[in-house]
Amino acid sequence: MNTFGDESNNLPPLLRKPDPVSDPVPVAQLRGARKALTENPVSPLDDGAASIVTAGAVEPMLLRKMIEAEGETAEAGLLMAKPVVGGTLYAIPPHRRFLDLDVLPDFVNPRWAHKVWTAMDVEASAAAPVTYETSIDEESGEPQAVFVIRMPNRKALADAVAESMRRTFYAQNGKNVYTESVLQQGVKEPMTLFLVRVVYDDGTHQETFTVAGDGNSRLVSMWLARTGGDIDEAAAACVAAVIGSVDRSGPRRPADQRAARTKVAEMAARVRRGLAEPTLTEATRREGHTITFPAMVIVGAVTENGSPMPDLVAARDDLVANLHVNVTAWTEGAQNTQGMQRVYRHALHNGLIDKDTYQILLGEVAAEQMHQLLGLPPHRLWSSALHQQTVLAGYRAEQMNLLIKQEFGMGRADRQRVSDHLAPMALSSYRSSERIEPAIRAFGNGGTITDTVWKQPWQLSTGDDAFKVLDDILIKAIGDDPAAVAELTVLAGTAAILDGYITRDRGSKVGVTREGGKAPFRATPNKLLAILASTYGGLRMLHSIARAHIAADPGILPKRYHTFDHEVDGVLVRDGDPVRDKVGALVTIDYEWDLVYAADPIGAEAAIAENRATLGNNHTKDDDQMAEDTRQRRILEQGVKNARKAVNVLAKMVPTRGREVFGSHEGVQMLREHLRKVDDILVAFGPERTAVLDLDDEGDGDEE
């Protein structure tokens, strides 16, 4: 459990005593405030939503005065106007609310949503993306200032809330955890709350809550301060207080809500008694500073012409983004993900994409469902390709480009900017991968956006068998079909980025030896792909990378092909012929080096020669042509021999110069530990012995 203060577990210094809080007002006395909300001229709320707003307020009578309007002020009363794209949101001005009454953390669209594994991912996720939409009044058919979320049951809701709290706690290395501040002086800055109606699929009807839009870290910190600093205990306390039992077969009953208000009243009484004591106890500080908090609640939403706002989701995103970008550092991935989600939503409304495509882009369906909906091969690589085809290809590209410029405030949306903003969404099906972060950086450095891909007419081929689809695309691409070249560039280029064969063009990675993390010359991903896609051998290598990626089998590795006509050991090889070693086996692509070298062999040789002259490297060309496993075995054998020689020479020096010839004791222990690790790896991964051999350990002819 986390503790606060010094080693003696003292609480942090007290800056402000908690305020005494009166008991919650009985529900029967809230009718006036509730009526004012239901008659609110700016997108009136239904009775259920109005009850949640009024029931959680510390001073409902003040709430009523804020909402009521007469005469010329009837449009908004004293509500606060919050301008957003396409209209205005109206909020009840800051007022104090009870933490335990119908307030949930942001499990709808949090700042870590760009890391949630989607339904398309191969790894199962306990926190699937939560989708929400604007509530529509059943009687009038008009939208309301309420979100609708569908959940399988109350347990799923509780799990989503707990996961939200945990991710908020661990995000950004704890920089947004304000628990000590809460214990010192409570929460000072008002939070922004939205009304959310949860509809359960298991037949338990629906329930309404308020959910944090802005201030989620403060809300989580309040529960941490209440419970002592352990995030799991904080999440459990929040679920128990706000949601209640997750095993019940129906929604909360009036009796349950009365019981919750009774518990809050008991807490308020304890705080008042504690404040009257000469010494402020830990319990009084924890409960006193967390029983209430200041908040604004969004209760209205209208368009620019005054009609109810049909897309509350976009308005909510716009409001929260403006609040956070200027106040709290928001990760670039989160901004780009949520921005592209808004771009897709606008594209759906504008008829640029259909609902099936929209579902796939948001990651709401798995690969098999994608195949059923659009006929694409049932593999998540095609999900990534669909993002790119939607944004980059054909007649839609200009309109999608305009939406991206509008969303991110760009004067110009070139390939670099588009790939940077698209990257987290295009690779969203691979969030469980350990290599996802470097892949996103590479994709954001131009990605697969070559001239044949950018604003050109190309489609994604359909089919049941991913391998056959890839083979058919290769045949068309080699036949100089530009659409097939674009399709193969996107599919294989994405696979190459995900598997580390193409990395971003930043940092110092130019070298003179063929190894991981190095390349003979630097090239952005899209420029490298453009060169490869211009040769038959390059297309075959890209095809081989895509096949290996889909197979996900260590026995199926991408192979190298010649990318120009030349002689090898007196034999003419042509562009597209396989590269073979001395025993006739196809040579494997091991590193990014192999692709960069193959893209421009002449330029690579010139760059290597220039760098070798500068660095004085004694690397030979034979090393480049050697199979990677052979080269690494040679390095291992030579290293072991050199170590054996060195240790023997030093041992012979001990009688005359002492044991200090081996260096310090700590240094020798470190060397022994390294040798043990090498031995462990050889035992664990080396081939099993098939015959009993009579080994003579002392028969090493290299000893001196």
Side-chain angles (χ1 to χ4, degrees):
M1 178 184 295
N2 294 334
T3 56
F4 311 103
D6 57 26
E7 293 181 358
S8 61
N9 290 347
N10 291 331
L11 295 176
L14 180 65
L15 299 182
R16 187 180 68 82
K17 290 181 64 174
D19 296 323
V21 180
S22 58
D23 297 344
V25 176
V27 175
Q29 298 179 22
L30 300 175
R31 293 192 182 94
R34 188 166 60 246
K35 182 180 179 183
L37 274 175
T38 57
E39 295 177 354
N40 173 23
V42 286
S43 185
L45 303 176
D46 58 28
D47 192 64
S51 296
I52 296 301
V53 175
T54 56
V58 176
E59 299 179 80
M61 298 307 105
L62 175 62
L63 206 66
R64 178 177 175 179
K65 292 179 181 179
M66 292 177 178
I67 302 165
E68 286 181 330
E70 295 179 2
E72 296 180 358
T73 64
E75 284 189 6
L78 297 178
L79 299 180
M80 294 178 61
K82 298 286 184 180
V84 292
V85 173
T88 304
L89 298 180
Y90 286 97
I92 299 173
H95 60 286
R96 300 203 69 79
R97 300 187 68 80
F98 289 106
L99 178 69
D100 300 65
L101 300 181
D102 306 307
V103 183
L104 291 176
D106 185 8
F107 67 97
V108 177
N109 197 9
R111 285 186 284 164
W112 42 261
H114 64 297
K115 293 186 176 181
V116 175
W117 298 351
T118 71
M120 191 70 65
D121 209 312
V122 295
E123 298 288 343
S125 174
V130 175
T131 58
Y132 60 111
E133 56 191 20
T134 308
S135 175
I136 304 298
D137 182 76
E138 294 182 357
E139 295 183 3
S140 66
E142 292 188 343
Q144 296 178 304
V146 181
F147 292 124
V148 172
I149 294 176
R150 296 195 175 275
M151 284 280 176
N153 46 48
R154 304 183 85 233
K155 185 179 184 305
L157 173 63
D159 290 343
V161 168
E163 180 69 7
S164 168
M165 294 181 70
R166 280 190 289 268
R167 285 184 179 261
T168 300
F169 178 74
Y170 290 113
Q172 298 184 10
N173 298 319
K175 293 179 181 178
N176 282 342
V177 175
Y178 309 113
T179 312
E180 290 203 11
S181 175
V182 171
L183 288 169
Q184 288 178 318
Q185 57 190 334
V187 173
K188 296 185 298 182
E189 292 297 322
M191 304 179 198
T192 303
L193 305 180
F194 290 83
L195 286 158
V196 172
R197 180 154 296 142
V198 182
V199 180
Y200 299 111
D201 297 338
D202 63 359
T204 58
H205 306 295
Q206 58 190 28
E207 295 179 289
T208 304
F209 302 91
T210 56
V211 172
D214 167 60
N216 193 55
S217 297
R218 280 166 275 159
L219 184 63
V220 172
S221 296
M222 289 185 73
W223 281 107
L224 285 164
R226 170 84 64 85
T227 57
D230 184 276
I231 187 59
D232 292 321
E233 291 182 13
C238 174
V239 168
V242 182
I243 299 175
S245 172
V246 299
D247 298 322
R248 70 165 69 251
S249 58
R252 293 173 298 173
R253 298 163 298 180
D256 300 319
Q257 294 173 317
R258 286 195 297 270
R261 297 175 75 80
T262 299
K263 289 181 180 179
V264 173
E266 293 171 352
M267 188 189 309
R270 286 197 301 271
V271 171
R272 291 194 297 268
R273 288 196 300 270
L275 292 173
E277 296 290 334
T279 302
L280 203 63
T281 65
E282 176 184 349
T284 300
R285 284 185 64 179
R286 291 190 185 281
E287 292 187 335
H289 275 321
T290 61
I291 188 171
T292 64
F293 65 96
M296 300 179 292
V297 184
I298 303 297
V299 295
V302 296
T303 61
E304 294 173 349
N305 62 13
S307 59
M309 184 173 289
D311 192 356
L312 183 65
V313 176
R316 183 260 188 209
D317 289 354
D318 185 61
L319 175 66
V320 176
N322 288 333
L323 287 171
H324 277 288
V325 169
N326 296 323
V327 179
T328 303
W330 213 0
T331 63
E332 184 178 350
Q335 293 182 32
N336 289 339
T337 296
Q338 296 186 15
M340 286 306 302
Q341 287 174 340
R342 290 191 288 270
V343 168
Y344 291 153
R345 189 157 54 245
H346 290 313
L348 176 65
H349 291 163
N350 295 347
L352 297 177
I353 58 175
D354 57 34
K355 194 168 184 179
D356 291 342
T357 300
Y358 181 66
Q359 280 186 283
I360 297 168
L361 295 177
L362 291 189
E364 296 177 7
V365 301
E368 286 292 342
Q369 292 171 289
M370 175 182 68
H371 174 64
Q372 295 171 6
L373 292 173
L374 299 185
L376 299 176
H379 190 280
R380 56 181 173 163
L381 182 62
W382 269 266
S383 167
S384 179
L386 182 62
H387 283 273
Q388 298 171 70
Q389 197 270 338
T390 299
V391 173
L392 306 174
Y395 73 95
R396 280 192 304 232
E398 288 293 349
Q399 297 177 67
M400 293 297 293
N401 194 275
L402 178 61
L403 290 177
I404 290 173
K405 287 193 292 186
Q406 292 173 343
E407 172 59 38
F408 294 101
M410 299 179 192
R412 178 166 160 259
D414 57 18
R415 303 180 208 209
Q416 175 68 54
R417 292 184 178 91
V418 170
S419 67
D420 187 35
H421 289 82
L422 178 60
M425 284 300 288
L427 304 184
S428 60
S429 300
Y430 290 84
R431 287 176 184 161
S432 66
S433 170
E434 295 179 355
R435 294 190 291 261
I436 186 61
E437 291 302 328
I440 287 176
R441 290 194 294 270
F443 194 100
N445 195 211
T448 64
I449 311 179
T450 65
D451 286 343
T452 56
V453 172
W454 183 236
K455 300 180 181 180
Q456 298 302 313
W458 57 274
Q459 298 291 330
L460 291 173
S461 302
T462 58
D464 299 328
D465 187 334
F467 297 105
K468 184 178 185 306
V469 169
L470 277 177
D471 293 345
D472 292 342
I473 295 171
L474 176 64
I475 293 172
K476 294 177 183 177
I478 291 178
D480 297 327
D481 181 343
V485 171
E487 187 179 5
L488 184 59
T489 300
V490 166
L491 288 165
T494 303
I497 289 172
L498 287 164
D499 292 340
Y501 294 115
I502 296 178
T503 62
R504 67 176 183 169
D505 178 26
R506 298 174 194 170
S508 177
K509 67 177 182 178
V510 175
V512 295
T513 58
R514 177 179 173 267
E515 57 185 318
K518 296 293 182 182
F521 61 85
R522 299 174 68 190
T524 56
N526 58 321
K527 290 182 179 178
L528 178 61
L529 287 170
I531 300 173
L532 289 171
S534 66
T535 65
Y536 297 136
L539 290 170
R540 288 187 182 279
M541 281 195 291
L542 291 175
H543 169 262
S544 185
I545 289 173
R547 283 186 64 95
H549 175 84
I550 293 170
D553 184 342
I556 300 178
L557 299 172
K559 303 300 181 181
R560 289 194 241 169
Y561 292 83
H562 293 284
T563 53
F564 71 113
D565 298 348
H566 62 293
E567 284 190 4
V568 177
D569 296 331
V571 178
L572 178 65
V573 294
R574 299 190 178 280
D575 175 16
D577 288 346
V579 175
R580 299 185 182 276
D581 61 17
K582 293 181 179 180
V583 298
L586 269 66
V587 179
T588 299
I589 299 173
D590 292 302
Y591 300 132
E592 180 177 21
W593 176 286
D594 301 327
L595 285 183
V596 176
Y597 191 101
D600 185 0
I602 298 175
E605 286 288 356
I608 293 168
E610 181 180 349
N611 289 321
R612 187 172 291 143
T614 303
L615 300 175
N617 190 280
N618 59 1
H619 177 80
T620 64
K621 189 173 181 180
D622 288 341
D623 293 333
D624 289 332
Q625 297 176 342
M626 190 183 301
E628 183 58 21
D629 56 346
T630 303
R631 189 170 76 90
Q632 294 296 341
R633 283 198 302 274
R634 176 180 291 184
I635 293 173
L636 176 61
E637 291 167 3
Q638 192 61 49
V640 171
K641 286 183 178 181
N642 289 339
R644 185 71 177 272
K645 286 181 180 180
V647 78
N648 283 334
V649 171
L650 290 171
K652 290 178 180 179
M653 297 170 63
V654 169
T656 57
R657 300 179 58 179
R659 292 175 177 267
E660 289 74 15
V661 294
F662 282 98
S664 67
H665 174 76
E666 292 76 12
V668 171
Q669 293 303 312
M670 183 179 67
L671 290 173
R672 293 181 65 188
E673 181 62 27
H674 286 324
L675 292 172
R676 277 196 294 269
K677 288 182 179 178
V678 170
D679 184 57
D680 290 343
I681 293 173
L682 290 173
V683 171
F685 298 99
E688 297 181 358
R689 187 167 59 180
T690 56
V692 178
L693 301 178
D694 184 15
L695 300 177
D696 181 8
D697 243 1
E698 303 300 323
D700 194 333
D702 293 321
E703 292 187 16
E704 295 182 4

